[in-house]
Amino acid sequence: MGSKKMMLAAVLLVVLLAAVPVCAEGDYTDTAAVMRLGLGARALGMGGAHIAVADDAAVIYYNPAGLGRLEEFSLTSMYSNQYGAGSYFGLGAAGMNLGAAVLRFGSSSIEETDEYGNPIGEFGVSETAAIAGYGRTVFSGLSVGGALKYYNQDLPGNSGSGFTADVGILYELLEGKALVGLVGRNLFGSVSYASGLKDSFERSFGVGVSFTPMENLLVAADAVMEDGLTGRVGLEYVLRGVALRAGGSFGGESYLTMGAGFALENFRIDYAYVHHRHLPDSHKISLSIAF
């Protein structure tokens, strides 16, 4: 049985990796930015390194294969003011092999001007994504999953929408102390606009590993190919219900993060601080509950 598990895992990895050179020939654009903002201050406090972390509802965003590993139902949310430009809110739910999430970014009261710079009114813009996923453990230690995503962009005079999907794999090592994950995001599809134009979703591929060397310590690292290679690392140390986190992203995206969390029975509140090299610093806050 062990050799069969390893063979199936290898086949799944090869199939997903084989899609990389094909998809790399596509049109990489900055479409659907709301689907790149993350879900959960816990993950962002660890630098966003979460492809191989599978213990709460954030798996619906980072790797749907994690839906096959959850042993309880959980909800997680996140709010952030994105650099003063608008508000971002995410809500995810997962359990019993199923997961769903809603992500929304919006900015209102934007001043509209004429060709001479004179104010003539105000308008708003928004982006929304809805995600539904399924994951399962196909063999002991090996989980696979997928998520279908609907995206909508509301712009004055030129709204658009489209569908895409993610696929992921997780494999357990060292008697559960380590996980290796692989995920492909936005694998197909495009946004169709009212103007008649289309914009392809920006595909990305990532591999991640997480390791728990001791009961209260989690270390994670990701490598993501999306407009270049980005590396993400993070760690979390929990002591008496209080979690301390730190991490960073290097390469295509560069930032440093730190965070903290407090858990009381099944309820948890998390905070993350993100320091960018060029953009203003940002703050994230999440509320989570497990049943």
Side-chain angles (χ1 to χ4, degrees), residues 197-208:
L197 297 177
K198 290 188 176 182
D199 202 359
S200 298
F201 286 104
E202 185 169 358
R203 302 177 184 91
S204 69
F205 297 87
V207 60

Side-chain angles (χ1 to χ4, degrees), residues 214-238:
M214 51 192 292
E215 183 178 357
N216 298 329
L217 179 63
L218 172 65
V219 182
D222 293 351
V224 179
M225 179 61 70
E226 181 179 25
D227 286 341
L229 182 63
T230 297
R232 296 171 184 151
V233 295
L235 60 85
E236 174 186 69
Y237 181 73
V238 181

Side-chain angles (χ1 to χ4, degrees), residues 70-253:
L70 297 182
E71 298 179 353
E72 57 187 3
F73 182 81
S74 64
L75 291 168
T76 191
S77 64
M78 188 177 80
Y79 173 80
S80 174
N81 187 317
Q82 289 296 116
Y83 321 118
S87 298
Y88 172 72
F89 177 77
L91 176 65
M96 301 294 291
N97 301 111
L98 299 173
V102 175
L103 315 174
R104 180 174 174 82
F105 172 81
S107 183
S108 59
S109 302
I110 302 173
E111 185 179 82
E112 183 179 7
T113 61
D114 61 19
E115 63 269 29
Y116 303 107
N118 301 312
I120 58 175
E122 294 182 342
F123 67 96
V125 298
S126 67
E127 288 188 323
T128 304
I131 308 172
Y134 175 80
R136 64 173 297 176
T137 299
V138 292
F139 292 111
S140 177
L142 176 64
S143 300
V144 298
L148 180 66
K149 305 195 288 190
Y150 170 75
Y151 169 78
N152 177 266
Q153 179 177 279
D154 188 7
L155 292 174
N158 193 29
S159 297
S161 62
F163 287 92
T164 187
D166 299 346
V167 174
I169 303 168
L170 277 171
Y171 189 71
E172 181 182 298
L173 300 169
L174 303 178
E175 298 180 345
K177 289 186 177 182
L179 283 175
V180 176
L182 184 68
V183 65
R185 298 193 179 108
N186 306 328
L187 295 178
F188 63 82
S190 60
V191 180
S192 298
Y193 295 96
S195 63
L197 297 177
K198 290 188 176 182
D199 202 359
S200 298
F201 286 104
E202 185 169 358
R203 302 177 184 91
S204 69
F205 297 87
V207 60
V209 60
S210 66
F211 180 53
T212 307
M214 51 192 292
E215 183 178 357
N216 298 329
L217 179 63
L218 172 65
V219 182
D222 293 351
V224 179
M225 179 61 70
E226 181 179 25
D227 286 341
L229 182 63
T230 297
R232 296 171 184 151
V233 295
L235 60 85
E236 174 186 69
Y237 181 73
V238 181
L239 180 63
R240 297 178 182 177
V242 177
L244 300 177
R245 306 181 183 104
S249 176
F250 311 94
E253 297 178 87

